[in-house]
CSV table of all heavy atoms in Angstrom, one decimal:
chain,number,residue,atom,x,y,z
A,1,GLU,N,-5.8,-7.8,-8.9
A,1,GLU,CA,-5.0,-7.9,-7.7
A,1,GLU,C,-4.0,-6.8,-7.5
A,1,GLU,O,-3.8,-6.2,-6.5
A,1,GLU,CB,-4.3,-9.2,-7.6
A,1,GLU,CG,-5.2,-10.4,-7.4
A,1,GLU,CD,-4.6,-11.8,-7.7
A,1,GLU,OE1,-3.9,-11.9,-8.7
A,1,GLU,OE2,-4.8,-12.7,-6.9
A,2,ASN,N,-3.3,-6.4,-8.7
A,2,ASN,CA,-2.4,-5.3,-8.6
A,2,ASN,C,-3.1,-4.0,-8.4
A,2,ASN,O,-2.5,-3.1,-7.8
A,2,ASN,CB,-1.6,-5.3,-9.9
A,2,ASN,CG,-0.5,-6.4,-10.0
A,2,ASN,OD1,0.2,-6.6,-9.0
A,2,ASN,ND2,-0.3,-7.1,-11.1
A,3,GLU,N,-4.2,-3.8,-9.0
A,3,GLU,CA,-5.0,-2.6,-8.8
A,3,GLU,C,-5.4,-2.5,-7.3
A,3,GLU,O,-5.4,-1.4,-6.7
A,3,GLU,CB,-6.2,-2.6,-9.7
A,3,GLU,CG,-5.9,-2.3,-11.1
A,3,GLU,CD,-7.1,-2.2,-12.0
A,3,GLU,OE1,-8.2,-2.8,-11.6
A,3,GLU,OE2,-7.1,-1.7,-13.1
A,4,SER,N,-5.7,-3.6,-6.7
A,4,SER,CA,-6.1,-3.6,-5.2
A,4,SER,C,-4.9,-3.1,-4.4
A,4,SER,O,-5.0,-2.4,-3.5
A,4,SER,CB,-6.6,-4.9,-4.8
A,4,SER,OG,-7.8,-5.3,-5.4
A,5,LEU,N,-3.7,-3.6,-4.8
A,5,LEU,CA,-2.5,-3.3,-4.0
A,5,LEU,C,-2.2,-1.8,-4.2
A,5,LEU,O,-1.9,-1.1,-3.2
A,5,LEU,CB,-1.3,-4.1,-4.6
A,5,LEU,CG,0.0,-4.0,-3.7
A,5,LEU,CD1,-0.3,-4.6,-2.4
A,5,LEU,CD2,1.1,-4.8,-4.5
A,6,PHE,N,-2.4,-1.3,-5.4
A,6,PHE,CA,-2.3,0.2,-5.7
A,6,PHE,C,-3.3,1.0,-4.9
A,6,PHE,O,-2.9,2.1,-4.3
A,6,PHE,CB,-2.4,0.5,-7.2
A,6,PHE,CG,-2.3,1.9,-7.6
A,6,PHE,CD1,-1.1,2.5,-7.7
A,6,PHE,CD2,-3.5,2.7,-7.8
A,6,PHE,CE1,-1.0,3.9,-8.0
A,6,PHE,CE2,-3.4,4.0,-8.1
A,6,PHE,CZ,-2.2,4.6,-8.2
A,7,ALA,N,-4.5,0.5,-4.7
A,7,ALA,CA,-5.5,1.2,-4.0
A,7,ALA,C,-5.1,1.3,-2.5
A,7,ALA,O,-5.4,2.3,-1.9
A,7,ALA,CB,-6.9,0.5,-4.1
A,8,HIS,N,-4.5,0.3,-2.0
A,8,HIS,CA,-4.0,0.3,-0.6
A,8,HIS,C,-3.0,1.4,-0.4
A,8,HIS,O,-2.9,2.2,0.6
A,8,HIS,CB,-3.5,-1.0,-0.1
A,8,HIS,CG,-4.5,-2.1,0.1
A,8,HIS,ND1,-5.5,-1.9,1.1
A,8,HIS,CD2,-4.7,-3.3,-0.4
A,8,HIS,CE1,-6.3,-3.0,1.1
A,8,HIS,NE2,-5.8,-3.8,0.2
A,9,LEU,N,-2.1,1.5,-1.4
A,9,LEU,CA,-1.0,2.5,-1.4
A,9,LEU,C,-1.6,3.9,-1.4
A,9,LEU,O,-1.2,4.8,-0.7
A,9,LEU,CB,-0.1,2.3,-2.5
A,9,LEU,CG,1.3,3.1,-2.5
A,9,LEU,CD1,2.2,2.5,-1.4
A,9,LEU,CD2,2.0,3.0,-3.8
A,10,ALA,N,-2.6,4.1,-2.3
A,10,ALA,CA,-3.3,5.4,-2.4
A,10,ALA,C,-4.0,5.8,-1.1
A,10,ALA,O,-4.1,6.9,-0.7
A,10,ALA,CB,-4.3,5.4,-3.5
A,11,ARG,N,-4.5,4.8,-0.4
A,11,ARG,CA,-5.2,5.0,0.9
A,11,ARG,C,-4.2,5.5,1.9
A,11,ARG,O,-4.5,6.4,2.7
A,11,ARG,CB,-5.9,3.7,1.3
A,11,ARG,CG,-6.6,3.8,2.7
A,11,ARG,CD,-7.1,2.5,3.1
A,11,ARG,NE,-7.4,2.5,4.6
A,11,ARG,CZ,-7.5,1.4,5.3
A,11,ARG,NH1,-7.3,0.2,4.7
A,11,ARG,NH2,-7.7,1.4,6.6
A,12,ILE,N,-3.0,4.9,1.9
A,12,ILE,CA,-2.0,5.4,2.8
A,12,ILE,C,-1.6,6.8,2.6
A,12,ILE,O,-1.6,7.7,3.5
A,12,ILE,CB,-0.7,4.5,2.7
A,12,ILE,CG1,-0.9,3.1,3.0
A,12,ILE,CG2,0.4,5.1,3.6
A,12,ILE,CD1,0.2,2.1,2.7
A,13,LEU,N,-1.4,7.2,1.3
A,13,LEU,CA,-1.1,8.6,1.0
A,13,LEU,C,-2.2,9.5,1.4
A,13,LEU,O,-1.9,10.6,1.9
A,13,LEU,CB,-0.8,8.7,-0.5
A,13,LEU,CG,-0.5,10.1,-1.0
A,13,LEU,CD1,0.7,10.7,-0.3
A,13,LEU,CD2,-0.3,10.1,-2.5
A,14,SER,N,-3.4,9.2,1.1
A,14,SER,CA,-4.6,10.0,1.5
A,14,SER,C,-4.6,10.3,3.0
A,14,SER,O,-4.8,11.4,3.4
A,14,SER,CB,-5.9,9.3,1.0
A,14,SER,OG,-7.0,10.1,1.4
A,15,ALA,N,-4.4,9.2,3.8
A,15,ALA,CA,-4.4,9.4,5.2
A,15,ALA,C,-3.2,10.3,5.7
A,15,ALA,O,-3.4,11.2,6.6
A,15,ALA,CB,-4.3,8.1,5.9
A,16,MET,N,-2.1,10.1,5.1
A,16,MET,CA,-0.9,10.9,5.4
A,16,MET,C,-1.1,12.4,5.0
A,16,MET,O,-0.7,13.3,5.7
A,16,MET,CB,0.4,10.4,4.8
A,16,MET,CG,0.7,9.0,5.3
A,16,MET,SD,2.3,8.4,4.6
A,16,MET,CE,3.5,9.4,5.6
A,17,ARG,N,-1.8,12.6,3.9
A,17,ARG,CA,-2.1,14.0,3.4
A,17,ARG,C,-3.0,14.7,4.4
A,17,ARG,O,-2.9,15.9,4.6
A,17,ARG,CB,-2.8,13.9,2.1
A,17,ARG,CG,-2.9,15.2,1.4
A,17,ARG,CD,-3.7,15.1,0.1
A,17,ARG,NE,-3.0,14.4,-0.9
A,17,ARG,CZ,-3.4,13.3,-1.5
A,17,ARG,NH1,-4.5,12.7,-1.2
A,17,ARG,NH2,-2.6,12.7,-2.5
A,18,HIS,N,-3.9,14.0,5.1
A,18,HIS,CA,-4.8,14.5,6.1
A,18,HIS,C,-4.2,14.4,7.5
A,18,HIS,O,-5.0,14.7,8.5
A,18,HIS,CB,-6.1,13.9,6.0
A,18,HIS,CG,-6.9,14.2,4.7
A,18,HIS,ND1,-6.8,13.4,3.6
A,18,HIS,CD2,-7.7,15.2,4.4
A,18,HIS,CE1,-7.5,13.9,2.6
A,18,HIS,NE2,-8.0,15.0,3.0
A,19,ALA,N,-2.9,14.0,7.6
A,19,ALA,CA,-2.3,13.9,9.0
A,19,ALA,C,-3.1,13.0,9.9
A,19,ALA,O,-3.1,13.2,11.1
A,19,ALA,CB,-2.1,15.3,9.6
A,20,ASP,N,-3.7,12.0,9.3
A,20,ASP,CA,-4.5,11.0,10.1
A,20,ASP,C,-3.6,9.8,10.3
A,20,ASP,O,-3.6,8.8,9.6
A,20,ASP,CB,-5.7,10.6,9.4
A,20,ASP,CG,-6.7,9.7,10.2
A,20,ASP,OD1,-6.2,9.1,11.2
A,20,ASP,OD2,-7.9,9.6,9.9
A,21,ALA,N,-2.8,9.9,11.4
A,21,ALA,CA,-1.8,8.8,11.6
A,21,ALA,C,-2.4,7.4,11.9
A,21,ALA,O,-1.9,6.4,11.4
A,21,ALA,CB,-0.9,9.2,12.9
A,22,GLY,N,-3.5,7.4,12.6
A,22,GLY,CA,-4.2,6.1,12.8
A,22,GLY,C,-4.7,5.5,11.5
A,22,GLY,O,-4.4,4.2,11.3
A,23,GLU,N,-5.3,6.2,10.7
A,23,GLU,CA,-5.8,5.7,9.4
A,23,GLU,C,-4.6,5.3,8.5
A,23,GLU,O,-4.6,4.3,7.8
A,23,GLU,CB,-6.6,6.7,8.7
A,23,GLU,CG,-7.0,6.4,7.3
A,23,GLU,CD,-7.9,5.1,7.1
A,23,GLU,OE1,-8.4,4.6,8.2
A,23,GLU,OE2,-8.0,4.6,6.0
A,24,ALA,N,-3.5,6.1,8.5
A,24,ALA,CA,-2.3,5.8,7.7
A,24,ALA,C,-1.7,4.5,8.1
A,24,ALA,O,-1.3,3.6,7.3
A,24,ALA,CB,-1.3,6.9,7.8
A,25,SER,N,-1.6,4.3,9.5
A,25,SER,CA,-1.1,3.0,10.0
A,25,SER,C,-2.0,1.8,9.6
A,25,SER,O,-1.5,0.8,9.2
A,25,SER,CB,-0.9,3.1,11.5
A,25,SER,OG,-0.5,1.9,12.1
A,26,SER,N,-3.3,2.0,9.7
A,26,SER,CA,-4.2,1.0,9.4
A,26,SER,C,-4.1,0.6,7.9
A,26,SER,O,-4.1,-0.6,7.5
A,26,SER,CB,-5.6,1.4,9.7
A,26,SER,OG,-6.6,0.5,9.3
A,27,ALA,N,-3.9,1.7,7.0
A,27,ALA,CA,-3.8,1.4,5.6
A,27,ALA,C,-2.5,0.7,5.3
A,27,ALA,O,-2.5,-0.2,4.4
A,27,ALA,CB,-3.9,2.8,4.9
A,28,ALA,N,-1.4,1.0,6.0
A,28,ALA,CA,-0.2,0.3,5.7
A,28,ALA,C,-0.3,-1.1,6.1
A,28,ALA,O,0.3,-2.0,5.5
A,28,ALA,CB,1.0,1.0,6.5
A,29,ARG,N,-1.0,-1.4,7.2
A,29,ARG,CA,-1.2,-2.7,7.7
A,29,ARG,C,-2.0,-3.5,6.7
A,29,ARG,O,-1.7,-4.7,6.3
A,29,ARG,CB,-1.9,-2.8,9.0
A,29,ARG,CG,-2.0,-4.1,9.7
A,29,ARG,CD,-2.5,-4.0,11.1
A,29,ARG,NE,-1.7,-3.2,12.0
A,29,ARG,CZ,-2.0,-2.0,12.4
A,29,ARG,NH1,-3.1,-1.4,12.0
A,29,ARG,NH2,-1.2,-1.3,13.2
A,30,ALA,N,-3.0,-2.9,6.1
A,30,ALA,CA,-3.8,-3.5,5.1
A,30,ALA,C,-3.0,-3.8,3.8
A,30,ALA,O,-3.2,-4.9,3.2
A,30,ALA,CB,-5.0,-2.6,4.7
A,31,TYR,N,-2.1,-2.9,3.5
A,31,TYR,CA,-1.3,-3.1,2.3
A,31,TYR,C,-0.4,-4.3,2.4
A,31,TYR,O,-0.4,-5.2,1.6
A,31,TYR,CB,-0.4,-1.8,2.1
A,31,TYR,CG,0.7,-1.9,1.0
A,31,TYR,CD1,0.4,-1.5,-0.3
A,31,TYR,CD2,1.9,-2.5,1.3
A,31,TYR,CE1,1.4,-1.6,-1.2
A,31,TYR,CE2,2.9,-2.7,0.3
A,31,TYR,CZ,2.6,-2.2,-0.9
A,31,TYR,OH,3.6,-2.3,-1.9
A,32,PHE,N,0.3,-4.4,3.6
A,32,PHE,CA,1.2,-5.5,3.7
A,32,PHE,C,0.5,-6.8,4.0
A,32,PHE,O,1.0,-7.9,3.7
A,32,PHE,CB,2.3,-5.2,4.8
A,32,PHE,CG,3.4,-4.3,4.3
A,32,PHE,CD1,3.4,-3.0,4.5
A,32,PHE,CD2,4.4,-4.8,3.4
A,32,PHE,CE1,4.4,-2.1,4.1
A,32,PHE,CE2,5.4,-4.0,2.9
A,32,PHE,CZ,5.4,-2.7,3.2
A,33,THR,N,-0.7,-6.7,4.6
A,33,THR,CA,-1.5,-7.9,4.8
A,33,THR,C,-2.0,-8.5,3.5
A,33,THR,O,-1.9,-9.7,3.2
A,33,THR,CB,-2.8,-7.6,5.7
A,33,THR,OG1,-2.3,-7.2,7.0
A,33,THR,CG2,-3.6,-8.9,5.8
A,34,PHE,N,-2.3,-7.6,2.6
A,34,PHE,CA,-2.7,-8.0,1.2
A,34,PHE,C,-1.5,-8.6,0.5
A,34,PHE,O,-1.7,-9.6,-0.2
A,34,PHE,CB,-3.3,-6.8,0.4
A,34,PHE,CG,-3.9,-7.2,-0.9
A,34,PHE,CD1,-5.1,-7.8,-1.0
A,34,PHE,CD2,-3.2,-6.9,-2.1
A,34,PHE,CE1,-5.7,-8.1,-2.2
A,34,PHE,CE2,-3.7,-7.3,-3.3
A,34,PHE,CZ,-5.0,-7.8,-3.4
A,35,LEU,N,-0.4,-8.0,0.6
A,35,LEU,CA,0.8,-8.5,-0.1
A,35,LEU,C,1.2,-9.8,0.5
A,35,LEU,O,1.6,-10.7,-0.2
A,35,LEU,CB,2.0,-7.5,0.1
A,35,LEU,CG,3.2,-7.7,-0.7
A,35,LEU,CD1,2.9,-7.7,-2.2
A,35,LEU,CD2,4.3,-6.7,-0.4
A,36,GLN,N,1.0,-10.0,1.8
A,36,GLN,CA,1.3,-11.3,2.5
A,36,GLN,C,0.4,-12.4,1.9
A,36,GLN,O,0.9,-13.5,1.7
A,36,GLN,CB,1.2,-11.1,4.0
A,36,GLN,CG,1.5,-12.4,4.8
A,36,GLN,CD,1.2,-12.1,6.3
A,36,GLN,OE1,0.1,-11.8,6.7
A,36,GLN,NE2,2.3,-12.3,7.1
A,37,LYS,N,-0.9,-12.0,1.8
A,37,LYS,CA,-1.8,-13.0,1.2
A,37,LYS,C,-1.4,-13.4,-0.2
A,37,LYS,O,-1.5,-14.6,-0.5
A,37,LYS,CB,-3.2,-12.4,1.3
A,37,LYS,CG,-4.3,-13.4,0.8
A,37,LYS,CD,-4.5,-14.5,1.7
A,37,LYS,CE,-5.8,-15.3,1.4
A,37,LYS,NZ,-6.0,-15.7,0.0
A,38,LEU,N,-1.0,-12.4,-1.0
A,38,LEU,CA,-0.6,-12.8,-2.3
A,38,LEU,C,0.6,-13.7,-2.3
A,38,LEU,O,0.7,-14.6,-3.1
A,38,LEU,CB,-0.2,-11.5,-3.1
A,38,LEU,CG,-1.4,-10.5,-3.5
A,38,LEU,CD1,-0.8,-9.3,-4.2
A,38,LEU,CD2,-2.4,-11.2,-4.3
A,39,ALA,N,1.6,-13.4,-1.4
A,39,ALA,CA,2.8,-14.2,-1.3
A,39,ALA,C,2.4,-15.6,-0.9
A,39,ALA,O,3.0,-16.6,-1.4
A,39,ALA,CB,3.8,-13.6,-0.4
A,40,GLU,N,1.5,-15.8,0.0
A,40,GLU,CA,1.1,-17.1,0.5
A,40,GLU,C,0.4,-17.9,-0.6
A,40,GLU,O,0.6,-19.1,-0.7
A,40,GLU,CB,0.1,-16.9,1.7
A,40,GLU,CG,0.8,-16.5,3.0
A,40,GLU,CD,-0.2,-16.1,4.1
A,40,GLU,OE1,-1.4,-16.0,3.8
A,40,GLU,OE2,0.3,-16.0,5.2
A,41,ASP,N,-0.4,-17.2,-1.4
A,41,ASP,CA,-1.1,-17.9,-2.5
A,41,ASP,C,-0.3,-18.2,-3.7
A,41,ASP,O,-0.5,-19.2,-4.4
A,41,ASP,CB,-2.3,-17.0,-2.9
A,41,ASP,CG,-3.4,-16.9,-1.8
A,41,ASP,OD1,-3.3,-17.7,-0.9
A,41,ASP,OD2,-4.2,-16.0,-1.9
A,42,LYS,N,0.7,-17.3,-4.0
A,42,LYS,CA,1.3,-17.4,-5.3
A,42,LYS,C,2.7,-18.0,-5.2
A,42,LYS,O,3.2,-18.6,-6.2
A,42,LYS,CB,1.5,-16.0,-5.9
A,42,LYS,CG,0.2,-15.2,-6.1
A,42,LYS,CD,-0.7,-15.8,-7.2
A,42,LYS,CE,-1.9,-14.9,-7.4
A,42,LYS,NZ,-2.8,-15.4,-8.5
A,43,CYS,N,3.4,-17.9,-4.1
A,43,CYS,CA,4.8,-18.4,-4.0
A,43,CYS,C,4.8,-19.9,-3.9
A,43,CYS,O,3.8,-20.5,-3.5
A,43,CYS,CB,5.5,-17.7,-2.8
A,43,CYS,SG,5.8,-16.0,-3.0
A,44,ASP,N,6.0,-20.5,-4.2
A,44,ASP,CA,6.2,-21.9,-4.0
A,44,ASP,C,6.3,-22.2,-2.5
A,44,ASP,O,6.3,-21.3,-1.7
A,44,ASP,CB,7.4,-22.4,-4.7
A,44,ASP,CG,8.7,-21.8,-4.3
A,44,ASP,OD1,8.8,-21.5,-3.0
A,44,ASP,OD2,9.6,-21.6,-5.1
A,45,PRO,N,6.3,-23.5,-2.1
A,45,PRO,CA,6.3,-23.8,-0.7
A,45,PRO,C,7.4,-23.2,0.1
A,45,PRO,O,7.3,-23.0,1.3
A,45,PRO,CB,6.4,-25.3,-0.7
A,45,PRO,CG,5.7,-25.7,-2.0
A,45,PRO,CD,6.1,-24.7,-2.9
A,46,ALA,N,8.6,-22.9,-0.5
A,46,ALA,CA,9.7,-22.3,0.2
A,46,ALA,C,9.5,-20.8,0.3
A,46,ALA,O,10.4,-20.2,1.0
A,46,ALA,CB,11.0,-22.6,-0.6
């Protein structure tokens, strides 16, 4: 799971390196969506 999160971060950097704003935005959305899913699955009800 942590490696997957790291892969999303690497995808953001790769898109920014190529000045692909659309792909960078999509990668950032995927990063925080994945983090959100982890928080929903792992956190307590509060």
Side-chain angles (χ1 to χ4, degrees):
E1 291 168 315
N2 282 318
E3 287 180 338
S4 294
L5 194 63
F6 178 79
H8 285 301
L9 196 69
R11 179 185 161 201
I12 297 170
L13 178 60
S14 177
M16 295 183 76
R17 188 185 291 123
H18 293 92
D20 189 340
E23 171 62 14
S25 176
S26 176
R29 189 174 298 105
Y31 173 95
F32 282 101
T33 297
F34 187 77
L35 191 60
Q36 183 182 55
K37 181 66 164 57
L38 291 179
E40 289 172 343
D41 291 345
K42 306 287 185 179
C43 291
D44 63 32

